[in-house]
């Protein structure tokens, strides 16, 4: 079957629309959405992004999904996680800590302005200076910790070139440049983040045509993008559904083209019902129950014992088999599989296995130190398929330990994440984390390093931070793994969160959709999705 490419009519229409919109703002004013009538849009499901579409100020999968389409970085990562040039003409490693970057001459933003060195440098400095949500990813750059306006490790050496100096050797730094946190914004937008968050002027393969909050986001091909990720469709409409069940029904009826979330009630039957339309792939993500450090009943030694007891009260194998029909894999540590392989288990990994007698023993020890008061609650979002497993986990904990445990429903993913990031959440909460780049550190540094804004447990351990720093200085992956393993051992001892299981990427394509393959995470390669020739 032939790949469906954009015809001249579509490209011309988009060019005219973008040019007209760019007169005042960009291609995508929230108040004046682009006219997409007549375009054959691919439709898929999504949740409302928690935050705005600022590359370094988003830490949820939904937001990054859109950001990865409307922005581009120096590199992009292929399905194996290997880096390739996107906006970069070259990235040359001069020595252990220095990289020289040259940007392609034809790299431009959607409004036609050039992507230059100052755009990258200003964007990265702004992220750190304003402590944006994902600013911790710039930590290896010289000057990150100095509190100055600009990091001294970033130097513009020409209109299209700049130098990156790190404070220490950092394994896999070039791969990290393919993560959306490192994508550039226009220099003039650094003082307009609120506006650009809903009306991005990006440099990626798509532009945001419209964003109807809580309803849909639509992207269309960016005619000025000349990078390697060329869209093979006329645009994508991401529909925000109130439930995964409704999205599934629309896929079956032909009203949805790509489904990326299978509802819990269909896990056992979806592959049989959908046949060759269904897909299942191992994915680098981890589901956890996070217990904040300042949560009552869970501080000090008594709190540590309780965390371990709760973990051992969970029968992960039973839940994986009977509730998820083996579409999840019980966690053996804090790191999910990368490239489809389960990582080695840390020391004392028995705390992640079902041991009810040991759990009761630890809980009794904690009770002698500091009696438990109240109810242990686990917050989750209702618009995802989480109620059934949260209730099951709560029941296992309550039956084993004899204490009241309950799920605490919050209407939407966005509301849950807002409460968590604002530190207004009470009790424990579900956390799902997907690797940001193909490295063990992607599960450790963001969630548990003391300097990370994404550390929502409040875990603060200097030895853990020191081990991450040593791993970053390692000259080989084997050496880095040694330090990451030691760091993970500290997490297993302290249990700032309770790892539950790693997921598989489950979904389905419509009958007339040509499967597009997957990114390394894996998520669908949206820009390659297209309809079969009619």
């Amino acid at each position: 079957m032939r790949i469906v490419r954009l015809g001249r009519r579509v490209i011309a229409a988009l060019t005219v629309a973008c040019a007209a919109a760019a007169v005042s703002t960009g291609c995508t004013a929230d108040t004046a959405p682009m006219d997409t009538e007549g375009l054959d849009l691919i439709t898929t499901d999504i949740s409302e992004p928690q935050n705005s579409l600022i590359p370094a100020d988003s830490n949820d999968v939904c937001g990054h999904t859109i950001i990865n389409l409307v922005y581009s970085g120096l590199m992009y990562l292929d399905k194996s996680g290997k880096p390739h040039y996107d906006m970069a003409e070259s990235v040359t490693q001069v020595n252990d800590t220095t990289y020289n970057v040259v940007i392609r001459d034809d790299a431009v933003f959607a409004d036609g302005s050039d992507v230059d060195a100052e755009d990258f440098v200003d964007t990265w400095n702004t992220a750190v200076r304003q402590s944006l949500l994902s600013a911790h990813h710039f930590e290896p750059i010289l000057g990150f910790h100095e509190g100055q306006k600009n990091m001294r490790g970033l130097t513009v050496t020409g209109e299209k070139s700049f130098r990156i100096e790190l404070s220490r050797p950092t394994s896999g730094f070039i791969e990290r440049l393919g993560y959306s946190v490192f994508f550039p914004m226009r220099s003039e937008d650094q003082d307009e983040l609120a506006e650009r968050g809903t009306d991005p002027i990006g440099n990626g393969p798509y532009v945001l045509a419209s964003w109807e909050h809580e309803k849909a986001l639509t992207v269309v091909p960016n005619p000025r993008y000349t990078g390697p990720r060329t869209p093979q469709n006329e645009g994508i409409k991401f529909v925000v559904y109130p439930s995964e069940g409704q999205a599934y029904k629309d896929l079956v009826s032909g009203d949805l083209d790509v489904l990326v979330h299978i509802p819990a009630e269909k896990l056992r039957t979806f592959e049989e019902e959908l046949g060759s339309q269904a897909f299942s792939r191992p994915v680098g993500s981890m589901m956890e129950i996070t217990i904040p450090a300042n949560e009552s009943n869970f501080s000090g030694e008594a709190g540590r014992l309780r965390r371990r007891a709760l973990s051992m009260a969970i029968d992960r194998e039973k839940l994986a088999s009977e509730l998820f029909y083996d579409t999840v894999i019980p966690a053996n540590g804090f790191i999910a599989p990368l490239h489809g392989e389960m990582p080695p288990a840390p020391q004392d990994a028995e705390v992640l296995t079902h041991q009810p007698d040991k759990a009761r023993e630890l809980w009794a020890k904690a009770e002698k130190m500091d009696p438990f008061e109240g109810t242990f609650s686990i917050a989750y979002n209702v618009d995802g398929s989480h109620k059934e497993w949260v209730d099951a986990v709560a029941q296992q904990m309550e039956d084993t330990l004899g204490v009241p445990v309950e799920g605490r429903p919050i209407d939407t993913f966005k509301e849950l994440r807002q409460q968590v990031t604002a530190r207004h959440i009470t009790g424990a909460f579900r956390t799902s984390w997907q690797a940001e780049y193909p490295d063990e550190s992607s599960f450790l540094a963001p969630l548990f390093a003391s300097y990370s804004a994404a550390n929502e447990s409040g875990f603060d351990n200097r030895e853990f931070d020191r081990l991450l720093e040593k791993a970053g200085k390692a000259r080989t992956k084997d050496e880095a793994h040694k330090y990451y393993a030691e760091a993970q051992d500290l997490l297993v001892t302290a249990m700032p969160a309770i790892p539950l299981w790693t997921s598989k990427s489950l979904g389905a394509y419509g009958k007339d959709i040509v499967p597009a393959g997957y990114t390394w995470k894996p998520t669908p390669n949206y820009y390659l999705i297209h309809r079969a020739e009619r």
Side-chain angles (χ1 to χ4, degrees):
M1 290 176 287
R2 178 176 65 85
I3 291 179
V4 179
R5 299 187 182 277
L6 297 181
R8 293 180 180 178
R9 173 188 60 82
V10 175
I11 292 175
L14 292 173
T15 302
V16 170
C18 280
V23 170
S24 58
T25 55
C27 236
T28 60
D30 188 45
T31 55
M34 185 188 300
D35 183 9
T36 58
E37 186 177 355
L39 296 182
D40 183 14
L41 300 176
I42 300 293
T43 56
T44 185
D45 57 317
I46 199 172
S47 294
E48 177 78 6
Q50 175 200 354
N51 300 295
S52 62
L53 302 178
I54 301 297
D57 202 34
S58 176
N59 63 358
D60 65 288
V61 172
C62 305
H64 280 301
T65 295
I66 306 300
I67 289 169
N68 271 294
L69 295 175
V70 300
Y71 286 96
S72 282
L74 296 170
M75 319 292 294
Y76 77 96
L77 304 179
D78 65 18
K79 64 181 180 181
S80 300
K82 295 180 180 179
H84 301 272
Y85 292 141
D86 196 336
M87 292 293 103
E89 178 71 31
S90 64
V91 178
T92 305
Q93 185 169 0
V94 179
N95 54 43
D96 287 346
T97 58
T98 305
Y99 298 80
N100 285 336
V101 176
V102 178
I103 302 165
R104 287 174 28 205
D105 287 336
D106 60 351
V108 296
F109 288 100
D111 67 342
S113 60
D114 287 342
V115 177
D116 59 31
E118 285 190 358
D119 294 315
F120 277 95
V121 171
D122 289 347
T123 299
W124 298 1
N125 279 322
T126 296
V128 174
R129 185 168 59 251
Q130 296 194 18
S131 299
L132 300 185
L133 280 174
S134 296
H136 58 274
H137 287 286
F138 300 102
E139 191 272 338
I141 297 176
L142 186 65
F144 175 86
H145 294 287
E146 295 174 1
Q148 301 300 311
K149 181 178 180 180
N150 298 315
M151 291 181 283
R152 57 192 175 97
L154 298 176
T155 305
V156 174
T157 56
E159 184 178 348
K160 289 280 188 175
S161 62
F162 66 103
R163 180 177 300 119
I164 306 170
E165 295 180 79
L166 308 181
S167 60
R168 61 178 186 275
T170 301
S171 176
F173 184 73
I174 288 182
E175 284 84 353
R176 298 188 191 194
L177 294 176
Y179 179 43
S180 56
V181 168
F182 291 88
F183 292 177
M185 298 176 63
R186 301 183 310 168
S187 291
E188 56 264 43
D189 290 337
Q190 305 310 311
D191 296 325
E192 301 177 352
L193 295 186
E195 180 179 354
R196 291 287 82 83
T198 57
D199 181 19
I201 300 176
N203 62 324
Y206 291 85
V207 294
L208 184 66
S210 64
W211 185 354
E212 302 172 84
H213 290 281
E214 308 296 341
K215 294 182 179 179
L217 301 94
T218 300
V219 298
V220 296
N222 174 9
R224 293 191 171 101
Y225 175 76
T226 57
R229 296 186 294 147
T230 304
Q232 305 300 306
N233 51 61
E234 296 186 9
I236 307 168
K237 184 175 183 178
F238 293 87
V239 182
V240 179
Y241 280 90
S243 71
E244 293 173 354
Q246 183 58 53
Y248 187 91
K249 290 179 181 178
D250 280 1
L251 186 285
V252 172
S253 67
D255 293 323
L256 188 71
D257 295 318
V258 183
L259 179 73
V260 296
H261 297 99
I262 299 295
E265 64 270 19
K266 291 293 183 178
L267 290 176
R268 184 174 62 87
T269 60
F270 83 99
E271 289 182 298
E272 180 180 347
E273 291 176 358
L274 300 177
S276 60
Q277 293 175 249
F279 63 78
S280 172
R281 295 287 187 280
V283 62
S285 69
M286 177 72 72
M287 183 70 77
E288 299 174 338
I289 296 173
T290 300
I291 306 174
N294 61 357
E295 182 66 20
S296 60
N297 297 309
F298 289 93
S299 60
E301 180 62 12
R304 189 184 73 86
L305 293 174
R306 285 197 177 102
R307 293 165 185 267
R308 295 169 69 84
L310 289 169
S311 178
M312 288 187 280
I314 303 170
D315 190 342
R316 295 167 177 78
E317 297 283 349
K318 182 177 182 180
L319 293 174
S321 173
E322 297 181 5
L323 196 61
F324 290 100
Y325 303 100
D326 296 319
T327 59
V328 300
I329 305 169
N332 69 350
F334 285 81
I335 297 174
L338 293 170
H339 310 303
E341 297 181 2
M342 285 296 289
Q347 294 181 16
D348 197 21
E350 67 172 11
V351 73
L352 302 178
T353 60
H354 187 221
Q355 299 188 63
D357 291 338
K358 182 67 173 178
R360 284 188 282 268
E361 178 187 330
L362 293 180
W363 194 271
K365 286 183 179 180
E367 285 295 281
K368 292 178 181 179
M369 299 178 187
D370 182 20
F372 182 87
E373 296 180 355
T375 298
F376 180 66
S377 64
I378 306 168
Y380 65 95
N381 52 301
V382 176
D383 59 351
S385 294
H386 303 296
K387 174 178 170 53
E388 190 173 0
W389 73 256
V390 170
D391 287 348
V393 167
Q395 193 65 55
Q396 288 184 346
M397 291 176 171
E398 186 168 306
D399 290 347
T400 300
L401 302 173
V403 295
V405 184
E406 65 181 14
R408 186 163 74 87
I410 295 176
D411 286 342
T412 66
F413 171 76
K414 183 175 182 178
E415 289 178 66
L416 171 64
R417 294 301 309 153
Q418 286 176 335
Q419 289 190 34
V420 170
T421 54
R423 306 301 192 263
H424 293 161
I425 197 84
T426 57
F429 53 91
R430 80 157 193 97
T431 298
S432 180
W433 188 260
Q434 187 176 76
E436 298 160 326
Y437 44 87
D439 188 81
E440 293 170 275
S441 65
S442 191
F443 290 99
L444 302 179
L447 291 178
F448 303 110
S450 63
Y451 51 79
S452 171
N455 178 350
E456 294 162 349
S457 69
F459 180 69
D460 188 348
N461 186 296
R462 290 185 180 180
E463 177 62 13
F464 180 83
D465 291 348
R466 188 181 67 83
L467 288 168
L468 292 186
E469 182 177 350
K470 282 189 168 184
K473 292 179 179 178
R475 296 182 180 277
T476 66
K477 287 190 177 293
D478 287 343
E479 183 184 357
H481 172 73
K482 171 180 176 292
Y483 294 118
Y484 288 139
E486 291 181 37
Q488 194 176 186
D489 290 342
L490 292 178
L491 294 178
V492 172
T493 298
M495 295 296 285
I498 300 174
L500 298 176
W501 43 75
T502 67
S503 305
K504 292 181 180 179
S505 178
L506 308 175
Y509 290 104
K511 292 181 179 179
D512 66 339
I513 298 298
V514 177
Y518 308 89
T519 67
W520 65 271
K521 292 189 175 184
T523 54
N525 255 325
Y526 288 106
Y527 73 95
L528 294 177
I529 296 173
H530 60 278
R531 299 190 193 282
E533 186 175 6
R534 296 171 181 173

